[in-house]
Amino acid sequence: MFSGASNFVEGVDTAFAFIFGVSAFFIIAITAFMIYTVIRFKRSKVKNPKQFRGSVTLELIWTIIPTILVLMMFYYGYMGFAPMRNVPDDVMEVEAIGRMWEWEFVYENGKSSKDLVIPVNRPVKLNLKAEDVNHSLFIPAFRVKEDVVPGYDNYMWFTPYYIGDYEILCTEYCGMLHSAMTADAKVLDSAEFEQWYADLSQQKEEEKPEGFEITKSNGCFACHSRDGSKLVGPSFKGLYGSENVVITDGEERTITADEDYLKTSIINPNQDVVKGYNPGLMQSYEGVISDEDIDKIVEYLKTEK
Amino acid sequence: MESTQATNHVSYLQHKPHKIGILNWILSTDHKRIGLLYLYSIMVFFIVAAFLGLLMRIEKFAPGETIMDAQTYNGVFTVHGIIMIFIIVIPGLAAVFGNFFLPILIGAKDVAFPKLNLFSWYIYIAGAILALISQFASGGAPDTGWTFYVPYSADSSTNVIWALTAAFILGFSSILTGLNFIVTIHRLRAPGMSWFRMPLFPWSIYATSWIQVLATPIVGITLLMVIAERTLNIGFFDPALGGDPILFQHLFWIYSHPAVYIMILPAMGVVTEIFPTFSQKPIFGYSAIALSSVAIAAVGYFVWGHHMFTTGISYWSRWFFSFLTFIVAVPSAIKVFNWISTMYGGSIDLKPPLLWAIGFIFLFMIGGLTGLVLGALATNVHVHDTTFVVAHFHYIIFGGMGFAFFAGLHYWFPKMFGKMYNIKLANISFIITFIGFNVLYFPLFIIGLQGMPRRYFDYFPEYQYGHVISTIGAFILIIGIFIMLFNFFRGARKGEIAPANPWKGVTLDWQIESPPTLLNFDEIPVITEKPYTFKKEEEA
Ligand SMILES: [Cu+2]
Ligand SMILES: [Cu+2]
């Protein structure tokens, strides 16, 4: 009856239609009956109302009929859902990584992308990984959503039916920029996809110091840019060795961003708050990142010129 | 009984043993004064939280930053949720009308433990103040949402601990009040009042109290565990410390789903009192209504998993929780049919309390039926954590519990204060509030179905029309509520003197003076017949 962007649309929308149909009928019928009752039995018309107290037959009727209807709703819901956990064998697997506040999709050949690029008409399975807090991957057009929880191996699958771009949203609250944690699902025809997939030229990134990877996997880039632009926090570009005004215990002072300062900024960010930024946004990474790794991050920060 | 005859009696409001005015309130163990203490505190917090809600709506008027930044927005929706849920809706009807009318309706002079009752209010206030502090203290407002999901709540550098402690303390108030009511109902019913001669509001309070006593400790412990996680680095829930984040969600919803019934059961109880009075006809299906409250309370414990359908919980548990969720919907439907049948064939007087109660049925129906969309697996996957859910629970909690609260206030106001509000103004405020409510929340169903997630500071332009309509609704709603509050304040100060029984009710609350005397009854009544027995006009 319904068709849409993925193989699940039909089942899900059938369940919607059934539940909404039954609900609309009851809302309209009951409301109309209430209005009729209030008008028909106005106090000015009825002086001595009959004093009946109930009816077993009626109680049975309105227990049994709703029970049957809700069991049917359960059935439709179940039928639309069951295939979602039943992954076919010939799927293409992609790792979907959620971190504050971006998605990353990693393919079997090592290719990584900010958008989910997939071929049309081929089942895709997303293996969901969270690097920090809970997220949830939602593609409204495909009617799929699964939570991305650290420490858990959740998954989802679907077959896209049409070529086009679809929104991917994060639907589990994950902190400040939760609403910016979006991406695109780009459905291509197979030839185009193969071409994109085989092209690994973008992947050969310049040699990065070890600290870069640590910084990246801790989600620092969600708040700190590398190109000088201001995000939630100040950019890392040219940070090392620069002179900054910070507020310490309500007093303004000027510091030079040396190794010690950078370390304190990571371990105890609210001690010296950079002027023009709010305290309390950056959490302390003490105990979260080992001292060794913090040193590596600082080494890396020195290279951001 | 006319109130002029009451002159030789001293009402509870005139009973002032202390010289300093305020002491008559904060040292009083009278269940009626404690009910009013809750009423006033809840009113103040309601205005604060509603204002936060309005700020959120204004922010959403346009995509991107409108009046506040993302971090502020996250704090605002968190504190809005914490205040509304833990400080207003959970104590809500039970604390205000349960305290004031439970003893009266069962023919008692007070609750079983009056001092404990006052103490519960102090605990409540302590928790409430702590929650307010969490908003303003130096670390910044908590930004986890009222659900405190770990790992985020273990990581966030804002005042999460303050908020957790506040919710923990408020839980104690809830447990003690529940305990008090259970004992009161068991021990203090008037002679002759068997369980099935008890009016239905006390029945609903009874079911609610058991949930409060049994479920609240679970969330209390859970919140303590998060505090321990944050302060002592013990890995209960945070995977970075070796914990299990899904365990938190289970524990949280094992309490928080039954908590929905803590909110809604007393609301159902209130409207159950209103329909017979304004139809001059016994409640239809007394035992069906009484037992369905108990059924809801019992089955309601086993459906928490429907909040977690997308977390990756097992295939079979999704199946099981969905099935039970549908089963628990049936008792609510039974109640709706019984309320309407109570009106059918009656002599209906469409006064403000009945108007609010009918509004309650309409909104509660929409809230309940959209709940079925969330209970069905396939549809849940699509609308989970979208504004569809936000609309659904506002229809249940605000449209249901909130409207029933206002219905109860209009119903019992003349009894509580011995004065009458302006009926015409009350009708106007109902109509404005009702329209505003639907304009505010209905569009959220639509954009939720389109895919608009909840707790989103920013959104894509295709959802803007829904947000704009919704924000307009918020303003209409606020106007309606302020007219209502104004009407109450004016009524309490210079309204007409209310007769003892303005609505011709037959429950015990209407057989005593307005306002009641300190001990409610001169002589404890003896109950000889079923509740809701109306006499013919001539006999009366
Ligand atoms: Cu998110
Ligand atoms: Cu629930």
Side-chain angles (χ1 to χ4, degrees), chain B residues 504-521:
Chain B
K504 299 201 193 125
V506 290
T507 35
L508 286 175
D509 43 346
W510 301 112
Q511 314 312 316
I512 58 176
E513 289 155 36
S514 292
T517 54
L518 179 63
L519 295 178
N520 307 335
F521 303 95

Side-chain angles (χ1 to χ4, degrees), chain A residues 68-96:
Chain A
I68 295 173
L69 285 173
V70 296
L71 289 182
M72 287 171 71
M73 291 178 185
F74 166 74
Y75 171 81
Y76 280 109
Y78 174 71
M79 291 311 282
F81 160 78
M84 293 184 190
R85 301 314 277 173
N86 223 337
V87 191
D89 294 336
D90 58 338
V91 288
M92 175 177 110
E93 299 204 25
V94 179
E95 191 169 82

Side-chain angles (χ1 to χ4, degrees), chain A residues 41 59 145 167 170 173 280, chain B residues 143 157 338 348 384 456 462 533:
Chain A
F41 298 102
E59 297 292 345
K145 175 186 294 140
E167 287 160 8
C170 174
Y173 176 69
Chain B
D143 65 343
S157 57
N338 280 303
I348 295 173
H384 175 70
Y456 258 36
E462 69 243 39
T533 301

Side-chain angles (χ1 to χ4, degrees), chain A residues 77-195:
Chain A
Y78 174 71
M79 291 311 282
F81 160 78
M84 293 184 190
R85 301 314 277 173
N86 223 337
V87 191
D89 294 336
D90 58 338
V91 288
M92 175 177 110
E93 299 204 25
V94 179
E95 191 169 82
I97 300 165
R99 73 174 75 86
M100 291 152 129
W101 293 282
E102 62 176 14
W103 295 105
E104 183 182 349
F105 299 94
V106 181
Y107 292 75
E108 271 166 349
N109 67 353
K111 182 157 179 141
S112 146
S113 161
K114 297 277 168 231
D115 289 320
L116 175 64
V117 182
I118 40 176
V120 70
N121 282 328
R122 185 162 152 207
V124 187
K125 179 180 177 204
L126 302 183
N127 295 312
L128 308 169
K129 298 263 150 34
E131 284 186 353
D132 34 47
V133 300
N134 301 345
H135 305 278
S136 185
L137 196 150
F138 178 33
I139 312 179
F142 295 170
R143 309 284 188 271
V144 289
K145 175 186 294 140
E146 283 294 326
D147 291 2
V148 186
V149 182
Y152 275 81
D153 296 325
N154 202 359
Y155 64 90
M156 66 161 65
W157 81 277
F158 51 84
T159 309
Y161 281 173
Y162 300 110
I163 291 169
D165 287 357
Y166 304 92
E167 287 160 8
I168 296 177
L169 303 156
C170 174
T171 46
E172 185 61 70
Y173 176 69
C174 56
M176 180 150 70
L177 297 184
H178 169 52
S179 63
M181 192 167 159
T182 58
D184 278 337
K186 293 183 192 294
V187 181
L188 308 178
D189 74 35
S190 356
E192 235 180 306
F193 173 77
E194 288 308 332
Q195 201 183 351

Side-chain angles (χ1 to χ4, degrees), chain B residues 90-108:
Chain B
I90 288 185
L93 277 156
V96 176
F97 298 130
N99 261 313
F100 203 111
F101 287 104
L102 171 70
I104 297 181
L105 281 168
I106 61 173

Side-chain angles (χ1 to χ4, degrees), chain B residues 220-386:
Chain B
I221 288 295
T222 312
L223 299 178
L224 270 193
M225 286 161 86
V226 180
I227 293 175
E229 181 137 38
R230 286 184 65 106
T231 50
L232 310 172
N233 277 324
I234 304 176
F236 291 118
F237 307 122
D238 187 352
L241 303 170
D244 179 350
I246 300 287
L247 176 64
F248 174 84
Q249 298 186 24
H250 280 293
L251 291 172
F252 183 81
W253 290 112
I254 286 175
Y255 165 74
S256 295
H257 184 80
V260 175
Y261 299 121
I262 297 180
M263 306 165 195
I264 201 71
L265 281 173
M268 294 169 156
V270 168
V271 298
T272 310
E273 297 299 322
I274 290 174
F275 287 113
T277 301
F278 290 89
S279 316
Q280 292 293 299
K281 199 171 145 279
I283 189 78
F284 191 93
Y286 173 94
S287 4
I289 294 183
L291 296 179
S292 62
S293 293
V294 180
I296 289 176
V299 186
Y301 277 109
F302 303 102
V303 300
W304 79 84
H306 63 211
H307 297 268
M308 302 169 56
F309 283 150
T310 62
T311 52
I313 57 170
S314 78
Y315 182 81
W316 290 106
S317 53
R318 296 190 205 209
W319 191 102
F320 173 79
F321 284 122
S322 169
F323 183 79
L324 282 184
T325 301
F326 279 105
I327 297 301
V328 81
V330 176
S332 297
I334 295 176
K335 282 183 196 265
V336 169
F337 292 124
N338 280 303
W339 291 325
I340 294 171
S341 307
T342 303
M343 287 196 283
Y344 189 83
S347 166
I348 295 173
D349 192 13
L350 199 58
K351 287 276 157 54
L354 184 64
L355 212 49
W356 282 94
I358 290 176
F360 160 89
I361 292 197
F362 180 81
L363 301 176
F364 178 68
M365 261 191 320
I366 296 183
L369 290 165
T370 50
L372 299 176
V373 173
L374 291 162
L377 291 170
T379 47
N380 174 286
V381 168
H382 183 61
V383 290
H384 175 70
D385 265 331
T386 66

